[in-house]
Amino acid sequence: SPGSPLRDFFRPHLYLTIWFNTFALATMMDRLSLTFSALADPTRRAILARLSSGPASVNELAAPFSMSLPAVSKHLKVLEKAQLIARGKEAQWRPCEIKAAPLKEATDWMEQYRQFWEARFDRLEEYLKELQAQEKTTAAATKKTRKNASRK
């Protein structure tokens, strides 16, 4: 049975929309998401910590870990995709070095939330001080009332 002209018109557009949402948006992860995704793994964080002291070869980076060189290479590819490291080419040696820009972007992004939470904690501290002052006043008044009641 033939479909309605309206349904026939929207069907290709619906498929295009589904494809775009499923595939295109998934591949367009922003740099900040790539950075946090790469930093989510403790091995990759350890590799970055090592690279913060200077360039290193894959073998040097793999040494502290009980994993194969291909496994370390996979971690390096994730870090490279997130632009957290760069791999050089010097004859037989391909040193890896840390790139600071994505880490700075992540730090800048987190900084705005740090300021927000510090302001919240400051307000909480003020409120707790007010409660403690009220508690002291109430305790002193109760003590005075009991003292006067015991004299009678």
Side-chain angles (χ1 to χ4, degrees), residues 1-19:
S1 74
S4 75
L6 194 57
R7 185 180 329 144
D8 291 341
F9 173 77
F10 282 112
R11 184 173 304 187
H13 293 89
L14 177 64
Y15 290 130
L16 182 61
T17 302
I18 291 171
W19 178 86

Side-chain angles (χ1 to χ4, degrees), residues 1 5 13 21 24 30 32 41 51-53 55 76 111-113 117 121 136 139:
S1 74
H13 293 89
N21 286 337
D30 65 295
L32 195 59
D41 186 272
L51 290 174
S52 68
S53 64
L76 293 175
E111 177 63 20
Q112 61 190 316
Y113 294 100
W117 282 109
F121 287 134
K136 285 181 182 178

Side-chain angles (χ1 to χ4, degrees), residues 21-126:
N21 286 337
T22 305
F23 298 105
L25 290 179
T27 59
M28 292 190 298
M29 280 181 70
D30 65 295
R31 189 163 154 167
L32 195 59
S33 296
L34 286 171
T35 300
F36 283 120
S37 180
L39 293 174
D41 186 272
T43 301
R44 292 192 284 268
R45 290 192 305 270
I47 290 170
L48 287 175
R50 164 54 187 90
L51 290 174
S52 68
S53 64
S57 69
V58 176
N59 287 331
E60 291 171 333
L61 293 171
F65 304 107
S66 59
M67 63 176 71
S68 67
L69 281 177
V72 172
S73 289
K74 285 182 182 180
H75 285 292
L76 293 175
K77 285 177 186 170
V78 171
L79 291 169
E80 197 170 16
K81 182 179 178 186
Q83 300 178 1
L84 289 164
I85 66 166
R87 291 172 134 183
K89 291 183 181 175
E90 296 177 18
Q92 297 295 322
W93 193 54
R94 293 196 63 197
C96 298
E97 61 184 342
I98 196 166
K99 290 174 67 179
L103 293 171
K104 170 119 176 58
E105 290 171 7
T107 301
D108 291 346
W109 183 82
M110 288 185 292
E111 177 63 20
Q112 61 190 316
Y113 294 100
R114 184 189 62 79
Q115 291 172 357
F116 168 78
W117 282 109
E118 280 184 0
R120 290 277 177 121
F121 287 134
D122 289 345
R123 285 195 298 257
L124 177 62
E125 185 177 19
E126 289 172 20

